[in-house]
């Protein structure tokens, strides 16, 4: 069997066993599809990993950069306590509109705020309002990953978890001379992580419904 076929089948098996019958999240993916959004959300098993990490952390204030249709937002917001809050940043009005509807369907509108605009324009306002986050998920335009990490470090509590999606770039991440802006963004992010004393991190490769990819997982000191 080609690798990607077995990766898909194993992911489907894990989903059937561990994440069965989640009609709210299944409807989110349907709504995204009907609205023409790209299917670049995290997979169900990855979404549940984010949820479990937020639970383990006891996260109360989550920041997400890159909302799309709110699929990962909903996973993360489900991990919040009654008085918890997730702030999610999205540049695309159409994506934000679909996400808002999905978040209402998931009955999470009281815990989720979508801020529309270029994240690099809206992140400073979070700092100005003294917002502080104990869990940060970076999943937007990859060339800006180094800037997003710097902002995340400015906005994080001590002990905060910082997760970055899509750090493998199909293996291209290892090539110093690769000229792709997303690969360069991830490599610069890795250089920052290598040298920045404020965060302790690892990276993990993943396979499954979303192909070959991976996450950075870090804890702010
Ligand atoms: N986290 C989502 C997927 C996000 S896809 C999930 O797993 O369900 C990346 C999103 O980042 C897209 O919706 C895209 O419009 C948004 N994005 C791209 N550039 C951005 C920017 N500069 N500022 C904010 N959002 C951006
Ligand atoms: C892309 C973005 C993502 O966040 C992702 O998980 C997969 C692909 C993209 O921009 O192609
Ligand atoms: Mg992603």
């Amino acid at each position: 069997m080609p690798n990607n076929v077995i990766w898909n089948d194993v992911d489907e098996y894990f989903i059937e066993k561990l994440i069965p019958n989640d009609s709210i999240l299944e409807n989110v993916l349907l709504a995204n599809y009907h609205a023409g959004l790209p299917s670049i959300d995290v997979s169900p098993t990855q979404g549940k990993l984010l949820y479990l990490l937020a639970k383990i952390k006891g996260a109360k204030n989550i920041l997400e950069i890159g909302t799309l249709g709110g699929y990962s937002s909903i996973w993360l917001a489900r991990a919040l306590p009654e008085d918890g809050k997730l702030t999610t940043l999205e540049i695309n009005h159409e994506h934000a509109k679909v996400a808002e509807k999905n978040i209402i369907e998931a009955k999470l509108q009281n815990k989720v705020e979508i801020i529309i605009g270029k994240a690099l324009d809206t992140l400073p306002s979070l700092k100005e309002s003294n917002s502080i986050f104990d869990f940060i998920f970076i999943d937007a335009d990859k060339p800006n990953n180094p800037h997003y990490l710097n902002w995340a470090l400015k906005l994080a509590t001590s002990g905060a978890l910082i997760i970055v999606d899509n750090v493998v770039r199909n293996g291209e991440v290892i090539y110093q001379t690769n000229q792709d802006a997303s690969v360069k963004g991830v490599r610069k992010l890795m250089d920052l992580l290598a040298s920045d004393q404020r965060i302790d991190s690892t990276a993990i490769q993943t396979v499954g419904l979303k192909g070959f990819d991976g996450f950075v997982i870090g804890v702010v000191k």
Side-chain angles (χ1 to χ4, degrees):
M1 239 189 291
N3 281 340
N4 59 328
V5 174
I6 190 125
W7 296 343
N8 281 358
D9 289 354
V10 172
D11 233 359
E12 298 287 8
Y13 171 71
F14 288 158
I15 292 163
E16 183 192 314
K17 289 292 168 192
L18 306 175
I19 320 172
N21 310 321
D22 195 324
S23 60
I24 288 179
L25 283 169
E26 285 161 19
N27 285 334
V28 167
L29 295 182
L30 269 179
N32 291 357
Y33 175 77
H34 288 300
L37 269 53
S39 63
I40 55 175
D41 352 63
V42 294
S43 70
T45 48
Q46 292 170 345
K48 190 150 185 188
L49 173 67
L50 293 174
Y51 161 86
L52 290 170
L53 288 170
K55 276 267 183 201
I56 292 164
K57 168 67 197 158
K60 284 189 97 170
N61 288 292
I62 301 177
L63 172 65
E64 175 179 69
I65 309 179
T67 316
L68 190 65
Y71 184 81
S72 55
S73 322
I74 290 170
W75 269 115
L76 286 167
R78 281 178 173 180
L80 289 167
E82 214 34 68
D83 58 345
K85 187 176 172 194
L86 176 135
T87 304
T88 181
L89 312 183
E90 175 55 54
I91 195 172
N92 182 303
H93 288 255
E94 194 53 42
H95 295 181
K97 225 166 80 183
V98 176
E100 189 187 6
K101 195 153 176 280
N102 285 334
I103 287 159
I104 291 169
E105 291 291 335
K107 300 192 165 57
L108 289 164
Q109 67 273 25
N110 295 333
K111 291 181 182 173
V112 179
E113 181 186 7
I114 305 172
I115 301 179
I116 300 173
K118 255 195 221 176
L120 288 179
D121 292 342
T122 57
L123 284 160
S125 62
L126 294 177
K127 186 76 199 163
E128 280 151 27
S129 62
N130 294 319
S131 297
I132 188 152
F133 300 95
D134 50 12
F135 191 113
I136 301 174
F137 179 47
I138 300 173
D139 190 21
D141 48 326
K142 315 309 172 189
N144 277 322
N145 271 346
H147 300 301
Y148 296 149
L149 177 66
N150 280 325
W151 273 107
L153 289 166
K154 277 188 216 171
L155 292 165
T157 59
S158 171
L161 226 57
I162 297 180
I163 316 278
V164 189
D165 194 21
N166 312 118
V167 298
V168 169
R169 317 310 309 166
N170 256 310
E172 291 295 317
V173 69
I174 62 175
Y175 298 113
Q176 198 181 324
T177 55
N178 189 301
Q179 291 306 304
D180 177 82
S182 294
V183 172
K184 284 176 146 184
V186 174
R187 287 185 58 86
K188 181 93 187 282
L189 167 85
M190 299 308 295
D191 290 343
L192 290 176
L193 291 170
S195 62
D196 201 305
Q197 297 303 306
R198 293 171 293 176
I199 182 166
D200 198 12
S201 50
T202 190
I204 183 98
Q205 301 182 60
T206 59
V207 295
L209 285 172
K210 302 286 164 166
F212 170 42
D213 214 324
F215 294 101
V216 155
I217 302 178
V219 176
V220 179
K221 290 180 195 162

